[in-house]
Amino acid sequence: MKAMLKDGLLAAFALALCVVPVRASDVKAGDLVISQAWSRATPSGAKVAGGYLTIENKGAAPDKLLSVSAEIAGKADLHEMTTENGVMKMRPLDKGLAIEPGKTVKFAPGGYHLMLQELKAPLKQGDKVPVTLEFEKAGKVAVTLDVQGVGAQAPSDGGQMMKKMPDHSGMKM
Ligand SMILES: [Cu+2]
């Protein structure tokens, strides 16, 4: 139990260090600015990974994120995670996600995320994973996910969270 507590503290410490990841170069596409694109190292054998980033719309018109694709993933989707009655659920954003003018939309653990599936290789800390976002107006935008450590920036415990969602990897869409 003591070891677990220590691990928890270490995770919390790592979390505090990683709240603002090294500022990777912001990507500008039209009125959109995409920043802090990152992912997490995957445990061996894992076939799914989440991708996180921040999208700011500095323009006067709304845009919409339609889809994501990645060379490393056989399949990639936009997902939203919500908690309903204490149960975490994920649903695909089939109709895309509106990025309203003047607004910043954050993809983060526990909320919106890029869902990389059928991974062709595990993600390792320090990797740079290229993904392509497609917007209704801004078109295709190449972004690079900086891969952080396994426990990085998880709200509580990203690993545990995934394990509690048996339907996560087997989800059919
Ligand atoms: Cu997901």
Side-chain angles (χ1 to χ4, degrees):
M1 284 305 281
K2 268 207 172 125
M4 274 175 67
L5 180 62
K6 202 173 144 214
D7 285 348
L9 287 173
L10 278 175
F13 184 59
L15 179 67
L17 285 178
C18 292
V19 167
V20 182
V22 180
R23 201 169 174 77
S25 51
D26 293 356
V27 175
K28 292 191 176 66
D31 291 327
L32 303 179
V33 179
I34 299 156
S35 60
Q36 299 188 351
W38 67 284
S39 185
R40 256 194 304 247
T42 53
S44 61
K47 287 287 173 208
V48 296
Y52 313 102
L53 42 80
T54 299
I55 303 170
E56 185 180 0
N57 186 347
K58 291 178 179 276
D63 203 339
K64 190 185 256 186
L65 176 58
L66 300 174
S67 64
V68 58
S69 60
E71 190 62 39
I72 198 170
K75 180 170 161 33
D77 291 300
L78 305 171
H79 275 187
E80 178 179 24
M81 191 180 282
T82 54
T83 306
E84 285 168 34
N85 302 321
V87 180
M88 304 208 76
K89 290 188 174 161
M90 294 206 309
R91 67 182 183 91
L93 297 167
D94 290 327
K95 298 188 178 74
L97 181 65
I99 315 290
E100 300 296 339
K103 292 272 161 52
T104 297
V105 177
K106 199 165 178 145
F107 282 58
Y112 298 127
H113 55 281
L114 311 177
M115 193 83 214
L116 308 180
Q117 296 146 89
E118 300 168 18
L119 288 180
K120 293 166 188 168
L123 306 190
K124 292 192 213 71
Q125 189 167 3
D127 282 356
K128 309 275 182 204
V129 178
V131 299
T132 302
L133 305 174
E134 185 163 6
F135 293 91
E136 200 168 70
K137 295 195 180 104
K140 289 192 174 178
V141 182
V143 176
T144 304
L145 306 178
D146 286 329
V147 180
Q148 317 266 333
V150 171
Q153 221 171 337
S156 51
D157 181 337
Q160 289 300 34
M161 208 162 69
M162 288 298 184
K163 275 179 218 151
K164 278 182 200 149
M165 295 188 302
D167 59 336
H168 192 272
S169 54
M171 229 180 351
K172 298 269 191 301
M173 278 162 294

